[in-house]
Amino acid sequence: MDPADLEGRLLFAIPKKGRLHEQCLQLLAGADIQFTRRNRLDIALSTNLPIALVFLNASDIAKFVGEGNVDIGITGQDMCKENAVVVEELLPLGFGKCQLQVQVPISAGYKSIDELIGKRIVTSFTNITKRYLIHNKSYFSSREQGKTHEDSIEALSELKLDAKPSTKVTYVGGSVEAACSLGLADAIVESGETMRAAKLTPIATLLTTQAVLICNPSKHKSNALIEKIKTRIVGVLTAQKYVLTTYNILRKNLPLAAKITPGKKAPTLSPLEDENWVAVSSMVLKKEVVQIMDDLTAIGAEDIMVMEIHNCRIGH
């Protein structure tokens, strides 16, 4: 692709694979960011907005955004913390939720992080793991605990410890859960659902994370397109939580109906030919809609219908 094709376009980083990729594509479609990605190229130009989508590894996106190589991106909060970059978190996205945990073999019987002092930990989140262990004083010998976190991390490979051995944290990029069974580690730090199958159990949670929309702090205020993208994505996420319920109800029962379906501000009312009846439209939480239908039926509502919402804009 000619670099000139990117001039004047907002650079938007998207995970190129993994658990976040498909959900990001659905989010882009809902926000009407149209594009065609040809021949698995890692850059795709939007056809309806001045945006270029850049497909990167999720682990690299926070660094690219923080350093200003791209303007905005979607990645996990864990990746932002691991890269220790300054980014502005515009919006939590509600998917990709997981916990980053210290996992140990069930057979080992470890119950506390302190039992891993002097042991081997394998992870793809080495910086988060080191900071956590230092904070909990489970990393260095007693004579080294006076160092700052930053100095301790930088000096890790040079430390000569005699009071008690330091915990060794080693980077592995994939198949981390196999490290213990292969004898490469005494514990791992990772997220995911395969740990129980690998006969591992958590003994500590380092952080709870989810996907977030982030931007370079210097770009947000100067670029109205970033706010437009954020607003569109908020509309998509809101629409995923709500459905539109419509029904007919006797006017005398409106106070009861309004308690069941209050709407975001108030239910929308429309008159019917029969002046004793009124049509009501109201947004309700999708997870509560079946019970709401039952409650409306109980107060005499008729012709109850539920419709999906694909996008919306809701006032504060």
Side-chain angles (χ1 to χ4, degrees), residues 87-102:
V87 297
E88 182 179 350
E89 185 175 310
L90 297 177
L91 189 67
L93 300 177
F95 58 81
K97 291 182 177 180
C98 61
Q99 291 183 317
L100 190 63
Q101 296 178 313
V102 180

Side-chain angles (χ1 to χ4, degrees), residues 3 15 72 75 87 105 122 131 136 146 161 166 187 191-192 240 259 263 265 274 276 284 288 292 296-297:
I72 62 174
T75 189
V87 297
V122 162
R131 287 194 293 268
N136 285 275
L161 308 178
S166 64
S191 61
Q240 291 173 353
K259 291 181 180 180
K265 284 190 172 68
D274 187 336
N276 293 317
V284 300
E288 298 175 359
I292 287 172
L296 289 173
T297 300

Side-chain angles (χ1 to χ4, degrees), residues 105 138 152 182 235 287:
S138 302
S152 296
L182 293 175
K287 64 183 180 181

Side-chain angles (χ1 to χ4, degrees), residues 243 245 284-294 306:
V243 292
T245 302
V284 300
L285 285 170
K286 185 180 295 186
K287 64 183 180 181
E288 298 175 359
V289 67
V290 175
Q291 183 60 52
I292 287 172
M293 293 174 73
D294 291 342
V306 176

Side-chain angles (χ1 to χ4, degrees), residues 34-301:
Q34 302 172 19
F35 68 96
T36 300
R37 186 182 179 190
R38 294 187 175 91
N39 301 321
R40 306 296 294 175
L41 291 176
D42 287 340
I43 298 179
L45 304 182
S46 171
T47 56
N48 65 332
L49 289 169
I51 294 172
L53 298 173
V54 184
F55 294 88
L56 301 170
N57 291 326
S59 57
D60 295 330
I61 289 176
K63 184 173 184 292
F64 274 66
V65 173
E67 294 180 354
N69 304 110
V70 296
D71 303 304
I72 62 174
I74 294 176
T75 189
Q77 290 169 316
D78 50 353
M79 299 300 180
C80 297
K81 293 183 180 296
E82 175 63 19
N83 284 277
V85 290
V86 178
V87 297
E88 182 179 350
E89 185 175 310
L90 297 177
L91 189 67
L93 300 177
F95 58 81
K97 291 182 177 180
C98 61
Q99 291 183 317
L100 190 63
Q101 296 178 313
V102 180
Q103 302 264 352
V104 297
I106 296 173
S107 59
Y110 296 125
K111 302 297 182 184
S112 166
I113 190 72
D114 289 336
E115 296 179 72
L116 296 179
I117 294 174
K119 304 295 184 180
R120 301 164 300 163
I121 298 177
V122 162
T123 180
S124 57
F125 296 92
T126 55
N127 290 330
I128 292 176
T129 301
K130 290 172 183 178
R131 287 194 293 268
Y132 178 83
L133 294 175
I134 293 170
H135 178 74
N136 285 275
K137 299 182 180 180
S138 302
Y139 197 77
F140 298 109
S141 68
S142 56
R143 72 183 178 91
E144 295 292 339
Q145 287 175 6
K147 292 179 175 287
T148 66
H149 293 188
E150 293 78 6
D151 289 344
S152 296
I153 290 175
E154 292 174 359
L156 171 64
S157 61
E158 301 175 3
L159 287 176
K160 303 296 183 181
L161 308 178
D162 52 12
K164 59 182 178 182
S166 64
T167 305
K168 183 178 181 181
V169 178
T170 304
Y171 174 84
V172 172
S175 301
V176 177
E177 64 271 14
C180 292
S181 59
L182 293 175
L184 302 176
D186 301 294
I188 67 170
V189 173
E190 199 60 44
S191 61
E193 302 299 325
T194 61
M195 303 309 167
R196 179 63 64 173
K199 297 183 179 179
L200 300 172
T201 187
I203 60 169
T205 298
L206 279 64
L207 61 88
T208 298
T209 178
Q210 64 176 303
V212 287
L213 177 68
I214 60 174
C215 79
N216 183 284
S218 67
K219 304 291 181 68
H220 187 192
K221 293 181 180 179
S222 61
N223 196 317
L225 184 55
I226 292 177
E227 194 62 30
K228 176 184 283 190
I229 293 170
K230 175 185 173 182
T231 300
R232 288 190 178 192
I233 291 176
V234 169
V236 175
L237 297 177
T238 302
Q240 291 173 353
K241 296 179 182 178
Y242 289 88
V243 292
L244 181 65
T245 302
T246 65
Y247 57 91
N248 298 331
I249 191 80
L250 284 167
R251 286 185 180 274
K252 66 179 183 180
N253 290 334
L254 268 178
L256 293 174
K259 291 181 180 180
I260 299 171
T261 60
K264 295 295 290 184
K265 284 190 172 68
T268 300
L269 307 181
S270 303
L272 298 177
E273 287 294 327
D274 187 336
E275 63 181 17
N276 293 317
W277 286 76
V278 65
V280 180
S281 298
S282 182
M283 288 177 64
V284 300
L285 285 170
K286 185 180 295 186
K287 64 183 180 181
E288 298 175 359
V289 67
V290 175
Q291 183 60 52
I292 287 172
M293 293 174 73
D294 291 342
D295 295 342
L296 289 173
T297 300
I299 64 170

